Amino acid sequence: MSSDTPEKSSPASAITQTAAGALIAAVHEAAARIGFTAAVAVTDPGGHLQAFDRADGAPFLTAEIAVDKAWTAASFHTPTHAWNDYLADPRIAPLAGHPRLMAVGGGYPIIDNGRCVGGLGISGGSYEQDQHAAEEALAALGFESPAH
């Protein structure tokens, strides 16, 4: 029998407030260039809101959708657009009833040094516009692209 004590926790990595603000600014720049106004949410890796901004003129429902996209992306470390295929599987389809699960493009896990440090959610354009703005902003700040 070993007398070694097992580790009881691991160091948590989370996006900083400064990086979250820079990411939001980069999303707004990309969205303006693409031609839409957006609500942008950034969560910590547990899906808790870290930072949020809704541009003037962005519809009010975009706020809730952006937060849920960020939550979904952080929860499963998977971009939200991947859920369209997942929910086609009848064994996974019951998850579609979860009130926060967002199977619409525009949500991405924020990956830094191989670890999920948060979630990014964008709403305001088409799902392709939301995805493009997210990808552009994540790349501008040097975050890794998710494998999905």
Side-chain angles (χ1 to χ4, degrees):
M1 186 162 153
S2 174
S3 63
D4 294 336
T5 303
E7 279 192 52
K8 295 184 178 98
S9 63
S10 62
S13 296
I15 189 167
T16 65
Q17 185 66 37
T18 301
L23 193 53
I24 287 172
V27 167
H28 283 308
E29 284 181 30
R33 193 169 30 262
I34 294 167
F36 72 100
T37 57
V40 186
V42 178
T43 67
D44 67 14
H48 305 285
L49 193 60
Q50 175 75 7
F52 175 83
D53 187 67
R54 181 170 63 101
D56 293 338
F60 71 89
L61 187 56
T62 62
E64 185 177 333
I65 293 169
V67 172
D68 288 348
K69 285 180 181 182
W71 178 87
T72 301
S75 295
F76 294 96
H77 304 185
T78 303
T80 53
H81 63 271
W83 279 92
N84 285 299
D85 291 335
Y86 297 159
L87 294 176
D89 181 337
R91 295 169 296 181
I92 298 173
L95 289 176
H98 190 286
R100 294 200 66 188
L101 185 72
M102 196 52 63
V104 178
Y108 284 86
I110 303 169
I111 308 295
D112 187 40
N113 293 317
R115 298 184 85 168
C116 181
V117 297
L120 172 64
I122 300 170
S123 182
S126 68
Y127 74 89
E128 292 108 339
Q129 290 173 319
D130 292 349
Q131 281 181 233
H132 184 74
E135 291 165 358
E136 191 175 312
L138 289 166
L141 275 111
F143 289 110
E144 299 164 31
S145 295
H148 304 282

